[in-house]
Amino acid sequence: MIEIVKKNIKEQIKAKGMTAQEVCKIMSVSDKFIYRMTDEVKASKIVRIANAIGCTPLDLFKGI
């Protein structure tokens, strides 16, 4: 599951013309924050990432 979410995050970041580092900077977290996610990630973290990217959490859960 988490691999699909990570793929969707990467696609959304690219679609918005951003980098993962920029998203992490907006969130005031380490630039490895996104890539350290495991299958035990809380939904609130994914919602936070979606907000920083400027998409909906549903966009990140697409295909699950």
Side-chain angles (χ1 to χ4, degrees):
M1 175 194 101
I2 195 62
E3 294 307 318
I4 294 170
V5 172
K6 285 182 180 181
K7 181 177 126 324
N8 291 338
I9 289 171
K10 189 181 274 188
E11 288 173 359
Q12 289 296 319
I13 288 173
K14 186 176 180 180
K16 299 289 183 178
M18 303 172 79
T19 66
Q21 290 78 18
E22 289 172 326
V23 173
C24 290
K25 187 174 181 179
I26 290 168
M27 296 170 53
S28 300
V29 296
S30 162
D31 61 351
K32 307 235 185 307
F33 183 80
I34 293 172
Y35 298 107
R36 290 186 180 157
M37 291 191 303
T38 66
D39 281 331
E40 297 176 10
V41 66
K42 294 180 181 179
S44 62
K45 182 175 181 178
I46 295 172
V47 169
R48 192 171 165 210
I49 293 168
N51 289 336
I53 295 171
C55 65
T56 68
L58 189 59
D59 293 327
L60 304 184
F61 286 111
K62 179 178 56 181
I64 295 180

